[in-house]
Amino acid sequence: MAEFDLAIRNGTVVTASDTIRCDIGVRGGRIVQLAEAITGAAREIDASGLMVLPGGIDSHVHLDQDSGPEIRMADGFESGTRAAAAGGTTTVIAFAKQKKGTSLRACVEAYHKKAEGKALIDYGFHLIVSDPTPSVLNQELPALFGDGCTSFKVFMTYDDLVLNDRQLLDVFAVARREQALVMVHAEGYDTIKYLTEKLESEGKTAPYFHAVSRPQLIEREATHRAISHAELIDVPIMIVHVSGREPMEQIRWARQRGLKVYAETCPQYISLTADDLKGENLEGGKYVCSPPPRDEDSWNAIWEGLKDGTFQVFSSDHCPFFYDSTAGKLHPKAAQSFRYVPNGIPGIETRMMILWSEGVARGRISPNEFVALTATNHARIYGLYPRKGTIAVGADADLVLWDPNRKETIRQEALHHGSDYTPWEGFAVTGWPVMTIAGGRIVVEEGKVLGQPGDGSFLRRDISPYARAGG
């Protein structure tokens, strides 16, 4: 009998801290040996000329999520995890969204049913709290944290999700008591509503005006307010999908005061701009997301933050819709106003290749920093480390064989997501995933999906060390 199920030989192994030449031995879905040379495996993979990275972790994805009347999300757990794996990601954390007036526990149970038997890779859940009733705060949230959903997201905007300041304080207090990590969508509800109504009254209803209705100052104000609430309660928070310099200044200010404020950014904020929303015939609707893409000065700011540690994680905020007239970006109300264009873009498959190409290939960040931003820090922050996010004995054999020099052009026809378009159509990249391995199984090889629905399992996550208050 072979000593190893799988050996990956002759590759350059890259972690968040080290770059070494070694072979990797896998048995029972785990890494069991790192050595100069490994023989005696049932199957060997020659990684000569390639980098071997920890499989990516995308900690901000929306899959099979209720998006309102007449709107249908383009990806469920099967197509979404298929696309993730094709892009080099081996773990996703999706959102179980509470609908106002309903039990959060019931929403999570329904979400488990949506995912069960469908995912090709491992997955976890964040909670979305939209209705923090006493029973949710005192019974349901603590119990769900105990079930391994140890983080939750709150929104400072959107009619069906927004929490007022008192509600934010209440949920922050629960997070502090239970050591759960709070993720905050920081945009101001009333200011967006005011600007939206003003623009509509002036006949400015095209998708481009979605960006005009959500300027950076609105994100800046909400970020400051969220930080102030967190300081009052003494609870760590993660500000998600930060889009530019102004909210970043608030995060840096908080850190200088010793506050535990973490930050995430996304591919759209280093590669798209508000001008992309100007397309004719609602073409700009393909790029509607929140916060919206900004400008090239904002790209420069985001790169500063990726290099200096302002950002701990780089996620996709994958929120996919169809570019069609039935339940997607072109549904009948979209022509009336930008406010009705489904809000979100697909990006789960292209996240890692965009960051490598714009970051490592251009000399802005190192391969080790890339691994930290796309895998290791996600695992550390969200209670999955050291099982996930690194290459070490005992870790899950979640790996991606990466060609750092391969040049490709992103095309919708080659992608695996459910959406019928990509915002990065024609975007040239350097750096490409050649093979994705999850739990010791080859899931994708040269763009061909070999994994099966049900191969992935739900991950019960530990309490995050980043969620500890004080100190």
Side-chain angles (χ1 to χ4, degrees):
M1 181 177 292
E3 185 178 357
F4 304 101
D5 302 326
L6 178 68
I8 300 167
R9 307 201 59 206
N10 307 314
T12 300
V13 173
V14 182
T15 69
S17 57
D18 298 295
T19 303
I20 58 174
R21 290 295 299 272
C22 73
D23 291 358
I24 301 172
V26 175
R27 185 172 60 242
R30 299 275 179 111
I31 296 168
V32 295
Q33 190 172 111
L34 302 174
E36 184 176 0
I38 289 177
T39 58
R43 177 170 182 178
E44 290 189 1
I45 296 170
D46 184 6
S48 297
L50 302 175
M51 290 181 169
V52 185
L53 316 178
I57 300 174
D58 195 343
S59 58
H60 192 148
V61 305
H62 301 269
L63 299 173
D64 204 357
Q65 184 176 298
D66 176 35
S67 302
E70 302 175 358
I71 303 298
R72 181 164 57 94
M73 190 161 273
D75 274 317
F77 277 84
E78 182 176 339
S79 61
T81 58
R82 180 178 66 228
T89 292
T90 53
T91 299
V92 298
I93 310 179
F95 291 93
K97 173 186 170 185
Q98 181 194 21
K99 191 173 181 179
K100 285 187 184 291
T102 64
S103 156
L104 180 56
R105 162 69 71 181
C107 293
V108 172
E109 289 173 354
Y111 207 59
H112 271 293
K113 291 177 182 176
K114 289 182 176 184
E116 190 174 353
K118 296 183 175 67
L120 280 72
I121 57 175
D122 290 348
Y123 60 94
F125 295 161
H126 303 294
L127 311 171
I128 290 179
V129 180
S130 66
D131 196 2
T133 62
S135 63
V136 167
L137 293 172
N138 298 317
Q139 283 88 45
E140 293 189 347
L141 274 175
L144 288 164
F145 299 152
D147 290 344
C149 299
T150 55
S151 51
F152 66 89
K153 185 178 179 184
V154 292
F155 287 78
M156 300 174 74
T157 190
Y158 299 133
D159 290 341
D160 60 337
L161 293 170
V162 62
L163 302 187
N164 62 37
D165 285 358
R166 174 54 192 268
Q167 290 172 318
L168 289 171
L169 292 168
D170 286 340
V171 295
F172 282 14
V174 172
R176 187 188 192 283
R177 185 184 74 218
E178 303 291 337
Q179 295 188 81
L181 188 62
V182 186
M183 307 164 73
V184 183
H185 179 132
E187 290 184 293
Y189 174 74
D190 287 319
T191 42
I192 291 170
K193 191 171 183 180
Y194 168 80
L195 283 177
T196 296
E197 292 173 357
K198 181 176 184 293
L199 289 164
E200 288 175 338
S201 72
E202 296 169 352
K204 298 174 179 177
T205 59
Y208 171 72
F209 293 101
H210 168 81
V212 178
S213 75
R214 305 173 104 96
Q216 271 199 71
L217 71 88
I218 286 178
E219 190 181 349
R220 178 191 73 205
E221 181 278 329
T223 299
H224 181 85
R225 184 156 41 101
I227 289 168
S228 299
H229 293 342
E231 182 179 14
L232 182 67
I233 302 299
D234 184 25
V235 65
I237 59 172
M238 166 71 75
I239 306 294
V240 297
H241 46 50
V242 175
S243 72
R245 193 176 304 278
E246 294 185 35
M248 287 171 60
E249 289 169 348
Q250 302 303 308
I251 293 161
R252 287 169 169 155
W253 171 85
R255 298 243 185 93
Q256 289 166 0
R257 293 169 59 86
L259 303 180
K260 291 186 176 180
V261 178
Y262 310 112
E264 167 201 270
T265 194
C266 309
Q268 48 268 40
Y269 307 122
I270 60 168
S271 56
L272 303 178
T273 71
D275 285 346
D276 289 311
L277 280 73
K278 289 181 175 178
E280 298 290 331
N281 301 317
L282 297 180
E283 188 81 11
K286 291 180 176 180
Y287 304 89
V288 167
C289 60
S290 295
R294 304 296 184 188
D295 54 24
E296 292 194 18
D297 177 66
S298 296
W299 294 359
N300 295 333
I302 296 297
W303 280 116
E304 290 170 16
L306 288 167
K307 289 186 285 188
D308 71 13
T310 301
F311 296 108
Q312 287 69 51
V313 292
F314 189 84
S315 307
S316 69
D317 191 11
H318 180 74
C319 189
F321 298 98
F322 298 101
Y323 188 64
D324 68 15
S325 58
T326 53
K329 294 279 189 178
L330 297 175
H331 76 96
K333 280 191 173 182
Q336 298 175 25
S337 172
F338 59 83
R339 77 157 84 188
Y340 299 114
V341 177
N343 204 327
I345 59 175
I348 200 168
E349 187 167 351
T350 49
R351 172 186 70 122
M352 292 178 67
M353 56 191 73
I354 290 171
L355 183 63
W356 184 279
S357 185
E358 295 300 300
V360 182
R362 291 179 180 269
R364 291 170 167 138
I365 59 173
S366 70
N368 309 95
E369 289 170 318
F370 172 87
V371 168
L373 288 163
T374 58
T376 308
N377 290 352
H378 298 256
R380 290 184 185 276
I381 288 170
Y382 292 112
L384 291 171
Y385 190 85
R387 178 181 173 184
K388 303 285 188 183
T390 192
I391 298 175
V393 172
D396 285 357
D398 292 354
L399 306 162
V400 56
L401 275 58
W402 193 270
D403 185 338
N405 301 311
R406 182 164 166 178
K407 296 183 184 300
E408 295 282 354
T409 299
I410 295 173
R411 301 287 187 195
Q412 165 63 22
E413 62 191 24
L415 297 179
H416 300 77
H417 60 203
S419 183
D420 55 0
Y421 79 97
T422 171
W424 288 279
E425 183 70 38
F427 192 93
V429 295
T430 300
W432 198 260
V434 173
M435 178 184 292
T436 304
I437 299 168
R441 303 180 308 272
I442 299 173
V443 184
V444 180
E445 183 173 8
E446 285 290 357
K448 183 178 180 181
V449 178
L450 305 175
Q452 298 297 317
D455 284 349
S457 300
F458 173 71
L459 296 167
R460 293 172 59 97
R461 294 179 290 116
D462 296 331
I463 292 292
S464 168
Y466 288 72
R468 298 191 183 109

